[in-house]
Amino acid sequence: MIAGCSSTGHKRGGGYYSNDGPGDDIPANIEAIPDAVPRVEPYASGANRPYVVFGKRYVPDTSDSPYKQRGIASWYGKKFHGNSTSIGESYDMYAMTAAHPTLPIPSYARVTSAINGKSVIVRVNDRGPFHDNRIMDLSYVAAYKLGIIGPGSGEVTVERILPAEARQMAAAAAAGGTAAVNASAVAATAEGDAPVIEPSAAIPVPLAPTATPGSGRTAAMTPAMGSSTAPAVKPAPALARSGAATAGNVYLQLGAFSQAGNAQSLVSRINGPLAAGGLPQAQVAQTGNLYRVHVGPYSDRNAAEAALQSVADRTGILPSIITR
């Protein structure tokens, strides 16, 4: 009944599935293959229904709730290259994709290695892996960029990119091109920060599943059931260094922008919900040519992590934790 990335075959060599492995014609420029560029897509109806594999029931989450999980990711390669994914697309081991048991498909996720700190963005278009000790199966190229091809698996953090952030990143890609978005993401990663984005909305609009057919991975599983106008640009105030020094230097970042007005617009939209929840007000901090929207400071990373979900619930944006 089960095949594909849910295969129960024993692993070999580098840790990939039995009879699987790297392709015979690996692109010379594999490092240059760009990350997936998030955008809002209609959910595939068939592939987002509850289903059962090996007697365990899985319920895909299409609620647009924040998702973040740490665990082991593996990868799948030439054995499945060209096979159908759970939404009927052809699996391309050299595309930035991934399989996940419950994230809605298609959707997008940021995957960060706990070993080397490298981060990639993948499009989730398949189901699996169906093993208790793994949370995601990555395409060959995604695993390569995270440095887990050799060992076959590695510890990662998987964080879903919600529709609001996807809209922002899609708008940035449309304005400056995919290369510009990837370049800003690379620069931001080097700083331990989030990519520059241009907001179109701060609060996500839930998507209703549409009747897009989903054929499912061939013999892979059996389902249980057959832009808004920004306010006038204001000067962007910098966070007071003295206050940050006394209270801590850890912040929750909700965005980084090349235009002060966009950052200030986001602050204006989220400070009401933050205040209603008894949370600190967002502020704009200018660093170089970027205007960053921060909430905090917090005394340490643990305090920031404790506040992260409350800030996400109030703003509709899942923040990143940064240190200044």
Side-chain angles (χ1 to χ4, degrees), residues 117-159:
K118 293 182 179 180
S119 183
V120 299
I121 294 176
V122 295
R123 180 173 178 264
V124 181
N125 68 346
D126 206 358
R127 289 290 176 225
F130 303 113
H131 296 263
D132 291 338
N133 65 340
R134 298 206 299 281
I135 63 172
M136 176 172 272
D137 261 350
L138 297 163
S139 68
Y140 176 86
V141 65
Y144 180 92
K145 293 174 75 171
L146 287 175
I148 63 174
I149 287 296
S153 62
E155 188 172 7
V156 301
T157 297
V158 176
E159 181 179 357

Side-chain angles (χ1 to χ4, degrees), residues 58-306:
Y58 296 86
V59 182
D61 183 4
T62 58
S63 66
D64 290 341
S65 300
Y67 172 93
K68 188 174 184 179
Q69 184 179 8
R70 183 162 175 159
I72 301 298
S74 49
W75 61 273
Y76 57 125
K78 66 179 182 181
K79 180 178 179 179
F80 311 103
H81 188 63
N83 289 356
S84 291
T85 67
S86 295
I87 53 175
E89 298 175 350
S90 178
Y91 171 59
D92 182 354
M93 61 188 291
Y94 303 121
M96 294 296 290
T97 62
H100 192 276
T102 58
L103 282 177
I105 55 178
S107 63
Y108 294 82
R110 183 177 291 107
V111 186
T112 304
S113 169
I115 300 172
N116 55 34
K118 293 182 179 180
S119 183
V120 299
I121 294 176
V122 295
R123 180 173 178 264
V124 181
N125 68 346
D126 206 358
R127 289 290 176 225
F130 303 113
H131 296 263
D132 291 338
N133 65 340
R134 298 206 299 281
I135 63 172
M136 176 172 272
D137 261 350
L138 297 163
S139 68
Y140 176 86
V141 65
Y144 180 92
K145 293 174 75 171
L146 287 175
I148 63 174
I149 287 296
S153 62
E155 188 172 7
V156 301
T157 297
V158 176
E159 181 179 357
R160 185 184 170 195
I161 296 175
L162 294 172
E165 186 179 358
R167 290 187 184 95
Q168 295 165 1
M169 298 176 78
T178 302
V181 174
N182 289 330
S184 63
V186 170
T189 301
E191 299 174 20
D193 218 341
V196 176
I197 51 177
E198 299 291 341
S200 57
I203 307 300
V205 179
L207 298 174
T210 61
T212 303
S215 62
R217 175 180 292 279
T218 302
M221 67 181 197
T222 302
M225 297 177 59
S227 166
S228 59
T229 302
V233 176
K234 300 177 181 179
L239 291 176
R241 293 282 182 175
S242 58
T246 57
N249 64 343
V250 181
Y251 296 83
L252 295 179
Q253 177 166 294
L254 286 86
F257 306 88
S258 58
Q259 300 296 320
N262 288 332
Q264 195 63 50
S265 175
L266 177 56
V267 167
S268 299
R269 289 198 292 268
I270 65 177
N271 268 346
L274 288 172
L279 297 166
Q281 294 286 277
Q283 296 177 301
V284 179
Q286 181 179 358
T287 55
N289 295 324
L290 294 182
Y291 300 87
R292 308 180 188 274
V293 177
H294 289 167
V295 173
Y298 297 93
S299 57
D300 53 33
R301 188 176 181 86
N302 289 337
E305 289 179 345

